[in-house]
Amino acid sequence: MQFLVFTFFMPGLALLFQEATEGRFAVAWQKAQHPDLSKFLIIGALLFIIGVAGVLTRRNIIVIFMSIELILNAVNINLIAFSAQLHNVVGQVFAIFVIAVAAAEAAVGLGIILAFYRNKETVNIDEMNLMRW
């Protein structure tokens, strides 16, 4: 098994060491140490897309809450990236507020989920019609 894994990663390791000798690895390492704004925006967009897909496709309320947290973290990444790009702290302050709101949302939401689970013994969102008339 170890030999199979080693042979699977061998071409990638050879390419990595080849780039290290030619100097491209040093440039790539330098770019990884100082990423520009587009890298953060791409990561934030990917997190946002994963979160929206989780909210729209899942039926488990716990997974939906985790997806909402992913969406809020994507917003935080964008706020802090723009704050660093513009050299002000307004985005960082907003990110702190978003973290506080997310913590309060998680505490209240999980409390409601626990109370619902004690009554219905399920966390399926299709069966959550307790507050309907």
Side-chain angles (χ1 to χ4, degrees):
M1 180 67 181
Q2 291 174 352
F3 180 73
L4 181 65
V5 172
F6 184 70
T7 57
F8 180 73
F9 288 114
M10 191 64 174
L13 290 173
L15 182 65
L16 181 68
F17 288 126
Q18 179 187 4
E19 287 186 6
T21 59
E22 294 178 4
R24 287 183 284 172
F25 180 72
V27 173
W29 182 259
Q30 186 67 22
K31 286 184 179 180
Q33 293 294 324
H34 304 288
D36 55 346
L37 181 65
S38 65
K39 305 290 190 297
F40 292 110
L41 294 180
I42 289 170
I43 291 171
L46 288 175
L47 278 176
F48 189 82
I49 289 169
I50 292 169
V52 168
V55 167
L56 294 178
T57 61
R58 299 297 179 167
R59 295 289 176 218
N60 189 342
I61 193 70
I62 304 289
V63 175
I64 291 174
F65 271 116
M66 287 192 300
S67 299
I68 291 171
E69 295 296 327
L70 279 177
I71 292 171
L72 291 174
N73 285 329
V75 170
N76 282 340
I77 288 174
N78 288 334
L79 284 171
I80 291 176
F82 281 119
S83 175
Q85 183 71 25
L86 298 175
H87 302 295
N88 61 10
V89 295
V90 175
Q92 295 173 12
V93 171
F94 277 123
I96 298 282
F97 283 125
V98 170
I99 290 170
V101 167
E105 174 257 337
V108 171
L110 287 175
I112 292 171
I113 290 170
L114 283 173
F116 183 80
Y117 182 75
R118 287 181 184 158
N119 288 335
K120 295 281 190 169
E121 294 184 359
T122 183
V123 288
N124 191 358
I125 197 155
D126 292 332
E127 298 176 17
M128 288 192 175
N129 56 6
L130 186 64
M131 294 202 288
R132 288 186 185 170
W133 289 95

